[in-house]
């Protein structure tokens, strides 16, 4: 039967593994698993980078982000953010604001974290400056070479990728309006296989 392995009867579908015991589970409520992809896409200036960075910091502390994605069993996540737009100076300014928001008392609209908790979470978030990487390569960095570079980074740094978030994760940040900022879905899927 050439369709064996592709077609299953309902009786063959196994019981799900509880997410706390599932090494592929990344976020609670079965939102993402290793090998799956989440991409943040929107118009310029609406806050994709802010959402991505604040989410990565929250996940690094094992907490839910602003849209409710929470790591399975509150496990802190090590995250790699692919930064396509902002340089280190801009990121430095962002992190001053992030620290203020995370450490501001809840009664004043913040999250009430200690500075130590923020610093610990921040230490689990890494950035790959894709724009700088493309500029500094003698030959233009193709999407294929970028995918290979990210896979190599993930392998050596032990990220558990899912290009959106993860047990240790990688995900794209920044605008997708130009070709330079695009990664095709199949490329993201290839990244997430590692």
């Amino acid at each position: 039967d050439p369709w064996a392995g592709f077609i299953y009867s309902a009786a063959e579908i196994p019981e799900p593994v509880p997410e706390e015991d599932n090494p592929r589970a990344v976020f609670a409520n079965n939102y993402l698993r290793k090998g799956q992809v989440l991409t943040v896409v929107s118009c310029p200036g609406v806050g994709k980078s802010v959402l991505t960075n604040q989410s990565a910091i929250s996940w690094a502390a094992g907490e839910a982000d602003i849209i409710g994605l929470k790591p399975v069993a509150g496990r802190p996540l090590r995250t790699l953010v692919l930064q396509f737009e902002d340089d280190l100076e801009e990121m430095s300014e962002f992190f001053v604001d992030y620290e203020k928001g995370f450490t501001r008392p809840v009664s004043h609209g913040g999250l009430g974290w200690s500075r130590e908790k923020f610093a610990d979470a921040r230490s689990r978030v890494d950035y790959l400056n894709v724009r700088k990487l493309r500029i500094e390569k003698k030959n233009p960095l193709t999407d294929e070479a970028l995918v290979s570079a990210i896979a190599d980074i993930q392998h050596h740094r032990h990220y558990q990728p899912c290009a959106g978030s993860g047990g240790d994760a990688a995900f794209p940040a920044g605008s997708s309006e130009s070709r330079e900022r695009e990664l095709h879905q199949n490329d993201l899927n290839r990244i997430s296989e590692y």
Side-chain angles (χ1 to χ4, degrees), residues 146-156 190-191 194:
L146 177 59
V147 169
S148 294
I150 293 165
D152 187 56
I153 290 166
Q154 290 173 335
H155 174 73
H156 287 93
R190 289 189 41 233
I191 291 168
Y194 288 87

Side-chain angles (χ1 to χ4, degrees), residues 68-99:
L69 291 177
K70 182 175 182 170
V72 169
R75 293 186 283 229
L77 307 180
R78 182 156 189 87
T79 306
L80 174 65
V81 177
L82 309 183
Q83 185 51 258
F84 288 82
E85 297 178 316
D86 306 316
D87 60 25
L88 283 177
E89 186 176 345
E90 292 169 304
M91 293 298 297
S92 176
E93 293 169 7
F94 292 157
F95 270 93
V96 168
D97 291 337
Y98 298 151
E99 183 174 7

Side-chain angles (χ1 to χ4, degrees), residues 130-142 145 149:
V130 177
R131 189 170 91 192
K132 181 178 181 182
L133 187 63
R134 286 184 181 216
I135 290 170
E136 291 187 3
K137 291 287 184 183
K138 292 181 181 176
N139 296 322
L141 185 62
T142 64

Side-chain angles (χ1 to χ4, degrees), residues 3-14:
W3 297 105
F6 296 100
I7 299 175
Y8 304 94
S9 76
E12 293 176 291
I13 298 173

